[in-house]
């Protein structure tokens, strides 16, 4: 019969071997990673390091949140269907560390899980903590708004697409400190345009820098045009939190 210390040793070895299963990211590549979130289940995500990652002291971080249709368990290929991970998979270069987690089947984005992922990335990679950005589409747009409300001082800029948020919370928590560029289709029949309009109005009432771009002919897919627009990424990079904030 094994002693208690022997059992602990076996558990430790299993944990080490499990964590070592993730491939070591290399600059310019997008690889599958996973993180054990305390008190939660494993969070799987795609991770991309910019080509010049090894040449810089730090790199900005972009967190991408997918929509409801890309949820799954150990099915990270779905995350490459839209947005930055799709573009990276097609050969596009990005000037950010790009983290693209996958929400569990039937789940919803949880700010605590996403914060744990950002904490992990900050402690593991050379992340510029003054330039952390969040973007997401549909369910991921809702997740982007929620995360920015839950951590109003953490992000330099956010770009929620065809999402919505808690306008009541805007008045009862510290206003979002990040710059906001939101996007929505005028003919969206899945998430009404009013969701983005109401969030923009609520935040502007508290002095937040908000831009809302409405595509007159777009239905729910307002993300393809948005993520194909290089001006979005230039805009994100133009924003930085002041050191000490």
């Amino acid at each position: 019969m094994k002693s208690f210390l022997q059992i602990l040793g076996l558990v430790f070895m299993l944990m080490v071997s499990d964590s070592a299963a993730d491939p070591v990211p290399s600059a310019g590549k997008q690889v599958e990673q996973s993180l054990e979130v305390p008190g939660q289940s494993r969070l799987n995500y795609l991770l991309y390091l910019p080509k010049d990652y090894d040449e810089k002291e730090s790199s900005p971080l972009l967190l991408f949140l997918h929509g409801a249709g890309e949820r799954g368990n150990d099915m990270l290929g779905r995350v490459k269907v839209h947005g930055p991970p799709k573009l990276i998979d097609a050969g596009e270069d990005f000037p950010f560390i790009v983290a693209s987690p996958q929400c569990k089947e039937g789940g919803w984005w949880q700010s605590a899980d996403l914060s744990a992922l950002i904490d992990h990335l900050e402690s593991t990679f050379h992340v510029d903590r003054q330039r952390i950005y969040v973007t997401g589409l549909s369910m991921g747009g809702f997740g982007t708004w929620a995360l920015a409300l839950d951590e109003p001082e953490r992000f330099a800029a956010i770009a929620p697409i065809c999402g919505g948020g808690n306008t009541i919370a805007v008045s009862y928590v510290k206003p979002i400190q990040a710059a906001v560029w939101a996007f929505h289709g005028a003919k969206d029949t899945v998430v009404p345009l009013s969701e983005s309009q109401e969030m923009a109005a609520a935040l502007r009432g508290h002095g937040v820098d908000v831009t809302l771009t409405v595509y007159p002919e777009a239905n729910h897919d307002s993300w393809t045009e948005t993520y194909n627009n290089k001006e979005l990424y230039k805009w994100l990079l133009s924003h930085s939190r002041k050191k000490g904030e």
Side-chain angles (χ1 to χ4, degrees):
M1 187 173 181
K2 291 184 174 64
S3 68
F4 178 70
L5 288 177
Q6 286 176 315
I7 293 173
L8 279 180
L10 286 171
V11 170
F12 176 77
M13 289 177 65
L14 287 171
M15 290 175 65
V16 170
S17 63
D18 184 54
S19 63
D22 283 342
V24 177
S26 57
K29 302 294 183 182
Q30 183 169 243
V31 297
E32 297 187 0
Q33 301 278 278
S34 62
L35 175 69
E36 292 290 346
V37 180
Q40 304 292 329
S41 58
R42 184 186 297 269
L43 180 64
N44 299 314
Y45 63 101
L46 296 172
L47 181 67
Y48 168 86
L49 301 182
K51 284 189 173 181
D52 61 355
Y53 174 78
D54 295 322
E55 303 168 13
K56 294 185 174 181
E57 287 187 9
S58 63
S59 297
L61 170 64
L62 177 63
L63 180 69
F64 167 72
L65 306 180
H66 64 69
E70 292 74 65
R71 291 176 292 185
N73 302 320
D74 300 320
M75 301 176 73
L76 279 169
R78 290 185 179 180
V79 182
K80 299 178 182 179
V81 172
H82 301 299
K86 174 186 177 180
L87 296 172
I88 292 169
D89 200 46
E92 289 280 344
D93 296 327
F94 276 80
F96 315 87
I97 298 170
V98 182
S100 308
Q102 184 175 44
C103 188
K104 294 290 186 182
E105 194 71 52
W108 195 260
W109 290 118
Q110 301 297 319
S111 292
D113 293 350
L114 299 174
S115 293
L117 175 58
I118 296 172
D119 290 342
H120 167 72
L121 295 171
E122 285 182 335
S123 64
T124 308
F125 300 96
H126 306 306
V127 173
D128 183 343
R129 300 189 182 197
Q130 271 62 56
R131 294 194 295 168
I132 300 179
Y133 313 108
V134 189
T135 185
L137 62 95
S138 195
M139 184 184 83
F142 282 88
T144 299
W145 284 118
L147 183 58
L149 283 170
D150 289 335
E151 295 206 62
E153 297 181 315
R154 188 166 202 175
F155 308 108
I158 65 171
I161 303 172
C162 58
N166 188 340
T167 56
I168 296 176
V170 171
S171 299
Y172 291 95
V173 299
K174 188 169 184 177
I176 293 173
Q177 302 298 297
V180 180
W181 190 0
F183 302 83
H184 219 116
K187 298 181 179 180
D188 196 329
T189 56
V190 179
V191 179
L193 170 59
S194 59
E195 290 282 350
S196 287
Q197 291 174 324
E198 290 171 5
M199 282 299 293
L203 289 167
R204 285 171 182 151
H206 288 270
V208 180
D209 176 15
V210 181
T211 299
L212 173 59
T213 293
V214 178
Y215 301 112
E217 299 302 320
N219 197 305
H220 193 46
D221 181 5
S222 49
W223 55 81
T224 298
E225 184 171 353
T226 299
Y227 288 128
N228 284 341
N229 183 0
K230 295 187 183 300
E231 292 303 313
L232 168 64
Y233 308 108
K234 292 179 183 178
W235 176 84
L236 290 171
L237 290 170
S238 72
H239 291 87
S240 178
R241 293 173 59 250
K242 295 179 182 178
K243 289 189 177 181
E245 287 185 345

